[in-house]
């Protein structure tokens, strides 16, 4: 069990750059008041359970990629309740 936790920690520490999405910013709802709303996109986590944090990061990155594809440069993610099982990560897309 300790070895699996160590492997997960190393993976999480070594992969932050792959989650960067150039040209798409993450903002709060208050920050996009003067921006043009484009629509909603969703990212789907590919892994769950002990790897859920990696799955959430990947789902957020996927949502940002989709936002860029539809012409947005800013996303506002819906809050995720603490401890909730997450099967999709919705985000509102804006052009700011």
């Amino acid at each position: 069990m300790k070895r699996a936790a160590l492997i997960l920690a190393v993976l999480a520490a070594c992969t932050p750059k792959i989650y960067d999405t150039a040209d798409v910013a993450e903002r709060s709802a208050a920050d996009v008041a003067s921006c043009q709303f484009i629509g909603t996109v969703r990212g789907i986590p590919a892994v769950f359970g002990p790897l859920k944090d990696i799955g959430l990061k990947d789902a957020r990155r996927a949502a940002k990629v989709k936002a860029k594809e539809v012409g947005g440069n800013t996303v506002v993610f819906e809050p995720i309740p603490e401890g909730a099982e997450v099967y999709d990560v919705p985000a509102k897309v804006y052009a700011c």
Side-chain angles (χ1 to χ4, degrees), residues 42-89:
R42 295 182 181 287
I44 309 292
V47 292
F48 302 93
L51 299 174
K52 70 179 179 182
D53 290 339
I54 293 170
L56 284 174
K57 287 179 184 179
D58 189 51
R60 293 170 78 87
R61 182 200 52 79
K64 288 180 178 183
V65 168
K66 290 176 185 177
K68 188 174 181 179
E69 289 172 356
V70 298
N73 63 0
T74 305
V75 293
V76 176
F77 287 104
E78 294 183 16
I80 298 172
E82 184 70 33
E85 290 295 322
V86 178
Y87 299 101
D88 72 335
V89 180

